[in-house]
Amino acid sequence: MREDWIEVELGELTENPKNDIVDGPFGSNLKSDEYVDIGIPVFKIQNIKANRFVDKNIHYVTPQKSEELKRHTFKKGDLIITKLGDPLGLCCKVPEKYEFGVIVADLIRFRSSDRIVFDKYLIYGINSILIQKQFKEITKGTTRPRVNLTIVRSLKFPLAPLPEQRAIAAKIEQLFSELDNGIANLKTAKSKLEIYRQAILKQAFEGKLTEQWREKESKIHGNHVNQKNHSTDNLPETWKQVKVGDICECIVPNRDKPKSFNGNIFWITTPDLNEENIHINYSLIDKGLTKDEVIEYKAKVIPINSVIMTCVGKFGVTALIEKESVINQQLHAFLPNDNVVPKYLAYALKTQKDYMHRVSTAITISYLNKSNCNSVPINLPPTIEEQTQIA
């Protein structure tokens, strides 16, 4: 700690700790049936987050009730801290729009002294790891973390000189603003990447990504394989459009979910698939069936080098089966024949989401049945070599 900084207790940052750091009333003193539609606002634990107030689901009490709870009221400029929950000790400032109000039992109203501490510096400090760590130490081992006021008033806090407090708070706000801008830019970039990813898939399955490869093959073998097939979506001449059912065995899982998982035949569900690639992270899958459980639950074991795909609600998220697995009923599996590279099929299916939505069946939620899956069109190069190049 700097020489001109001091360590103080939170209570020392007020004019009168017992009056300026108070919690809400006992539950019996403020009941939900006393809430009214218009009146004095009541802040609850759901409204308080680190550095921000969530202005939703505000309840009210009558002025008469707020007078009864006078000790448990706040005013504009006060800080509010959570004293229950995980994590607890979250702090924010009363918004400007709320002149006066009441807190519930699980909150603390903190009225700091502006002679001693700059409120924004104090808020950032309470929400920092330094103070949060103290809250955790106090509540370690408890099933429902809660702190009392005596403990809160005695928490240790690093206090800089007032001018430096203002400078620190301003720097934090600047850096947080830069982080927010960075997050916004990342979200924009992610949406653009998704567009780019779809563009790559479209080009791949129209034969554009392997044009140079085909030209090279043409020169080597003396044939002309780069002409366009004007009858089928402008595909290369040697390509053709086929249905999934013509090149794969579609495997629909049993509808019953297993009741026990004691083996190493992986149990794969929709969250195990990643929209951005076709590989499953098997190390994250914590459920598997034994061979006896497979028999008991009439489960269908999906062979290695099959492709699985989401078929309920969200269509066309695919993955390659690289280890013996069983899937739930929200997935279907495709076992390609010898004319199709499994990895190629996994990517090709991603391009047909619009078709899948058009042919899907919907009662309460859209789904693809076996017939729908078998009808999905796939643009297919004639050779395993070109499919491998594309994949």
Side-chain angles (χ1 to χ4, degrees):
M1 189 179 296
R2 293 262 304 273
E3 288 184 3
D4 51 350
W5 288 38
I6 58 173
E7 185 177 79
V8 299
E9 294 183 352
L10 285 182
E12 297 178 73
L13 303 177
T14 67
E15 298 293 345
N16 184 327
K18 289 193 175 181
N19 291 331
D20 293 337
I21 302 178
V22 299
D23 55 7
F26 288 115
S28 59
N29 292 334
L30 177 58
K31 299 176 181 178
S32 60
D33 60 11
E34 296 179 281
Y35 292 148
V36 294
D37 293 334
I38 300 174
I40 307 301
V42 178
F43 287 178
K44 303 181 292 298
I45 194 169
Q46 297 92 332
N47 301 121
I48 312 304
K49 303 296 180 186
N51 305 316
R52 65 185 178 91
F53 180 82
V54 180
D55 199 357
K56 292 182 180 179
N57 301 320
I58 304 297
H59 290 108
Y60 302 88
V61 293
T62 63
Q64 294 82 0
K65 185 63 181 180
S66 71
E67 183 63 28
E68 290 178 27
L69 302 173
K70 187 174 181 180
R71 177 171 172 76
H72 311 289
T73 57
F74 64 80
K75 65 181 181 180
K76 184 169 64 176
D78 287 343
L79 310 187
I80 309 295
I81 304 172
T82 59
K83 59 174 279 193
L84 175 72
D86 185 17
L88 51 72
L90 304 180
C91 176
C92 71
K93 190 175 181 178
V94 173
E96 288 289 317
K97 65 182 281 189
Y98 292 105
E99 294 283 345
F100 179 79
V102 176
I103 59 172
V104 298
D106 299 328
L107 296 177
I108 297 168
R109 185 259 291 151
F110 192 121
R111 187 166 293 159
S112 60
S113 169
D114 57 12
R115 292 187 309 104
I116 305 169
V117 65
F118 180 49
D119 56 2
K120 289 184 179 179
Y121 173 82
L122 178 56
I123 293 168
Y124 288 131
I126 292 173
N127 288 314
S128 73
I129 192 171
L130 294 173
I131 308 302
Q132 291 296 307
K133 186 177 180 182
Q134 293 182 60
F135 276 114
K136 286 183 180 179
E137 287 297 321
I138 293 165
T139 58
K140 186 181 292 184
T142 59
T143 56
R144 199 161 185 249
R146 186 194 296 265
V147 292
N148 62 44
L149 288 182
T150 302
I151 292 173
V152 172
R153 295 183 184 118
S154 65
L155 294 178
K156 305 300 181 184
F157 187 85
L159 188 66
L162 262 173
E164 191 169 356
Q165 292 177 32
R166 296 180 183 276
I168 289 170
K171 186 64 176 179
I172 290 172
E173 289 185 334
Q174 176 198 335
L175 294 174
F176 277 8
S177 177
E178 291 175 5
L179 284 171
D180 289 340
N181 289 336
I183 290 169
N185 290 336
L186 283 172
K187 288 180 178 177
T188 301
K190 187 174 182 180
S191 65
K192 289 181 178 178
L193 283 171
E194 183 56 35
I195 293 169
Y196 182 54
R197 182 180 289 111
Q198 292 303 316
I200 289 175
L201 287 172
K202 184 176 186 295
Q203 291 181 8
F205 295 98
E206 289 177 348
K208 293 186 174 72
L209 295 190
T210 43
E211 282 180 350
Q212 292 182 355
W213 179 87
R214 286 195 303 278
E215 288 175 4
K216 184 178 177 182
E217 289 292 295
S218 176
K219 290 175 182 177
I220 293 172
H221 300 291
N223 52 15
H224 301 281
V225 295
N226 204 34
Q227 298 176 15
K228 297 297 181 183
N229 181 347
H230 296 283
S231 64
T232 313
D233 296 326
N234 209 26
L235 296 177
E237 185 181 50
T238 54
W239 285 40
K240 60 182 178 180
Q241 191 173 84
V242 300
K243 294 181 178 179
V244 166
D246 297 331
I247 57 173
C248 297
E249 176 191 352
C250 181
I251 305 172
V252 178
N254 184 26
R255 295 181 65 85
D256 296 330
K257 180 181 176 180
K259 296 178 178 60
S260 61
F261 301 91
N262 299 301
N264 54 10
I265 301 174
F266 291 95
W267 169 252
I268 297 177
T269 61
T270 301
D272 299 317
L273 276 64
N274 185 337
E275 192 159 18
E276 295 181 0
N277 62 60
I278 60 167
H279 296 285
I280 296 170
N281 189 342
Y282 285 92
S283 65
L284 298 179
I285 299 176
D286 58 0
K287 289 183 178 179
L289 276 64
T290 64
K291 290 182 179 180
D292 288 340
E293 286 170 335
V294 167
I295 295 170
E296 180 182 355
Y297 301 117
K298 299 181 176 63
K300 296 180 181 178
V301 177
I302 310 303
I304 294 172
N305 285 328
S306 296
V307 174
I308 59 173
M309 182 179 77
T310 54
C311 292
V312 176
K314 189 173 187 178
F315 302 142
V317 182
T318 61
L320 189 65
I321 291 294
E322 296 168 296
K323 297 185 179 182
E324 199 173 55
S325 307
V326 173
I327 57 176
N328 73 349
Q329 62 182 21
Q330 293 185 321
L331 300 169
H332 284 184
F334 306 96
L335 178 59
N337 63 27
D338 292 340
N339 298 317
V340 188
V341 174
K343 194 175 286 188
Y344 176 90
L345 176 65
Y347 285 119
L349 286 166
K350 289 178 179 289
T351 68
Q352 297 298 333
K353 294 178 183 179
D354 289 343
Y355 175 88
M356 294 174 194
H357 281 284
R358 288 199 304 273
V359 302
S360 64
T361 303
I363 300 175
T364 56
I365 188 169
S366 298
Y367 70 95
L368 294 171
N369 58 31
K370 186 173 183 178
S371 177
N372 298 147
C373 287
N374 280 332
S375 74
V376 174
I378 298 293
N379 294 339
L380 191 67
T383 66
I384 293 297
E385 289 76 18
E386 187 168 2
Q387 293 175 33
T388 303
Q389 287 289 324
I390 291 170

